[in-house]
Amino acid sequence: MAKVRGAVVVDNEECKGCNLCVVACPTLTLALNRNVNNKGYHYSYMENPENCTGCSNCSTVCPDSCITVYRVKVEQ
Amino acid sequence: MTVITGKINEIIKPENLVYAKSPLLNDVSMHYCPGCSHGVVHRLIAEVIDEMGIQEQTIGVSPVGCAVFAYNYIDIDWQEAAHGRAPAVATGIKRVMPEKYVFSYQGDGDLAAIGTAETFHAVNRGENIVMIFINNAIYGMTGGQMAPTTLVGQVTSTTPNGRNVDLNGYPLRITELIAQLPGAAFVTRQSVQTPAAVRKTKKAIRKAFEIQAQKKGTSFVEVVSTCSSGWKLSPVASNKWMEENMFPQYPLGDLKDTGRADPDLYKVKG
Ligand SMILES: Cc1ncc(C[n+]2csc(CCOP(=O)(O)OP(=O)(O)O)c2C)c(N)n1
Ligand code: SF4
Ligand code: SF4
Ligand code: SF4
Ligand SMILES: [Mg+2]
């Protein structure tokens, strides 16, 4: 069966920790990291990477264009 | 179909890329506060210009307000205007170089307070320009003072007890007024708080640029926006406040889509 899997790469240093991508993600993939970047922001990261479908909702709402999205069909 | 186990490093490969930062966005950090709508709208403008292939033909006019440095962020030609004068500057540029795509980018203080005259007269002349209007109901840059678009009861640094109509008048729905002007070709009000809303706003911006090429008159795209610093809310709470309070006063959708009026309708008889 084919299934879609995705993954995102967040530019940690550009992220301002606004949380908008976290609430826009329908699969609860993202969360704000406990650690902060050099600007002092809790940057977004894939807390549950296995959930990501590569739908791009997160990158669509990100004001700082710091999310890159990848998507692939997986054969199981 | 790729046969993989679904490990992250097998997904993150160039051939699987579905979204990356627009090549028209410069490699610099934007100075905006976390979650600011300006950043989203900048990205949409960059993506539209890139997808239309008009980078070399586009000139933006940036305002005074938080977006004053827009010229640092999108890799096109820009002219910075004095406060409120962006539509007048855009008029001049477009008239001298009619083959260029020209747009202004302004906040509510810039477009609907100090620049009201330039706004109305540019649209009334039906200038073939695009005007992007970021309505966050506040003067963001200067510390959160009341704007013409501030809602009744909204607390700002100059209305600490909330905007009071007796003292401060009513919120100005300038986009409704713009839609009355015969020079307006396409007038719409959008937002960028959800993925669906962002996609609609991008379509509206694209349409506005296409109408400019068709010389149909002025396109005016309001984006109902947030200013979490001015509103003193988190970015997520700001979006919720905007949906609950701004949308009833500033309803989303197209207000006009007819092209500018036929000049013959306005001619003397003899
Ligand atoms: C002639 C003049 N008057 C006043 C100011 C102060 N000033 C700077 S930005 C601004 C308003 C900004 O509000 P808005 O246009 O809504 O932009 P925002 O920052 O909210 O995006 C004002 C009044 C100025 N710079 N120049
Ligand atoms: S691509 Fe979609 S599923 Fe993956 S993190 Fe972004 S919003 Fe969530
Ligand atoms: S939307 Fe962008 S800036 Fe905001 S937390 Fe997510 S990645 Fe960071
Ligand atoms: S003050 Fe408001 S409008 Fe200005 S950058 Fe911050 S959030 Fe955006
Ligand atoms: Mg404003």
Side-chain angles (χ1 to χ4, degrees):
Chain A
M1 202 188 85
K3 198 180 142 203
V4 172
R5 281 287 316 269
V8 303
V9 176
V10 179
D11 184 335
N12 293 349
E13 286 308 321
E14 282 303 311
C15 175
K16 293 175 183 163
C18 72
N19 211 26
L20 294 180
C21 58
V22 177
V23 300
C25 174
T27 65
L28 305 177
T29 300
L30 300 172
L32 296 187
N33 205 299
R34 291 175 56 240
N35 300 321
V36 294
N37 61 20
N38 282 325
K39 291 175 183 154
Y41 294 123
H42 293 278
Y43 52 89
S44 174
Y45 80 112
M46 289 205 289
E47 188 182 46
N48 301 302
E50 65 287 353
N51 289 1
C52 182
T53 60
C55 71
S56 299
N57 272 10
C58 51
S59 59
T60 304
V61 298
C62 176
D64 290 278
S65 300
C66 35
I67 304 182
T68 309
V69 185
Y70 298 86
R71 182 177 230 185
V72 71
K73 278 184 184 157
V74 183
E75 201 168 276
Q76 291 174 324
Chain B
M1 193 180 343
T2 332
V3 182
I4 63 165
T5 55
K7 288 209 184 83
I8 305 278
N9 56 5
E10 292 174 339
I11 302 172
I12 298 173
K13 286 180 179 169
E15 62 267 33
N16 299 331
L17 182 72
V18 285
Y19 182 83
K21 178 173 169 171
S22 169
L24 259 64
L25 285 172
N26 288 327
D27 209 8
V28 291
S29 301
M30 292 197 272
H31 71 287
Y32 300 116
C33 308
C36 180
S37 307
H38 278 301
V40 182
V41 181
H42 283 20
R43 195 187 74 227
L44 298 183
I45 293 170
E47 288 177 2
V48 165
I49 292 170
D50 183 40
E51 286 162 24
M52 289 177 73
I54 55 171
Q55 179 184 17
E56 298 297 326
Q57 294 130 268
T58 305
I59 302 170
V61 183
S62 63
V64 171
C66 278
V68 63
F69 297 133
Y71 52 74
N72 285 334
Y73 303 139
I74 307 177
D75 189 13
I76 53 171
D77 286 333
W78 285 92
Q79 175 61 53
E80 161 62 20
H83 204 6
R85 305 330 180 212
V89 173
T91 296
I93 295 171
K94 182 71 183 180
R95 287 186 176 208
V96 173
M97 291 180 276
E99 73 288 358
K100 300 284 187 192
Y101 288 84
V102 181
F103 73 94
S104 59
Y105 184 105
Q106 301 174 265
D108 40 50
D110 195 77
L111 180 143
I114 194 168
T116 311
E118 284 75 8
T119 299
F120 276 108
H121 290 293
V123 181
N124 196 47
R125 293 190 303 268
E127 298 295 341
N128 277 308
I129 57 173
V130 173
M131 295 175 66
I132 310 280
F133 169 37
I134 306 300
N135 178 9
N136 55 14
I138 206 156
Y139 290 1
M141 183 195 209
T142 43
Q145 294 82 0
M146 186 191 79
T149 48
T150 296
L151 302 180
V152 176
Q154 185 181 339
V155 173
T156 69
S157 60
T158 46
T159 55
N161 300 314
R163 183 177 189 161
N164 171 354
V165 170
D166 292 339
L167 204 58
N168 313 118
Y170 295 89
L172 183 60
R173 291 189 198 169
I174 197 161
T175 304
E176 272 76 356
L177 300 174
I178 290 292
Q180 306 300 311
L181 301 177
F186 171 51
V187 180
T188 189
R189 182 185 282 126
Q190 303 291 338
S191 65
V192 291
Q193 86 286 16
T194 62
V198 172
R199 285 186 208 107
K200 282 179 84 171
T201 301
K202 184 173 172 181
K203 272 194 191 140
I205 293 171
R206 168 124 195 181
K207 181 168 170 171
F209 275 90
E210 286 169 355
I211 285 172
Q212 178 167 168
Q214 296 157 14
K215 302 187 174 62
K216 280 190 187 166
T218 313
S219 288
F220 191 93
V221 181
E222 172 178 345
V223 183
V224 183
S225 297
T226 63
C227 172
S228 54
S229 293
W231 297 1
K232 307 204 181 330
L233 295 169
S234 72
V236 173
S238 294
N239 276 340
K240 193 160 179 286
W241 192 89
M242 176 178 71
E243 287 174 345
E244 281 173 5
N245 297 286
M246 297 274 281
F247 289 0
Q249 298 300 324
Y250 301 112
L252 305 185
D254 291 351
L255 287 88
K256 186 180 183 188
D257 187 14
T258 56
R260 72 187 184 114
D262 178 358
D264 286 344
L265 295 172
Y266 294 81
K267 256 192 194 148
V268 293
K269 299 270 186 289

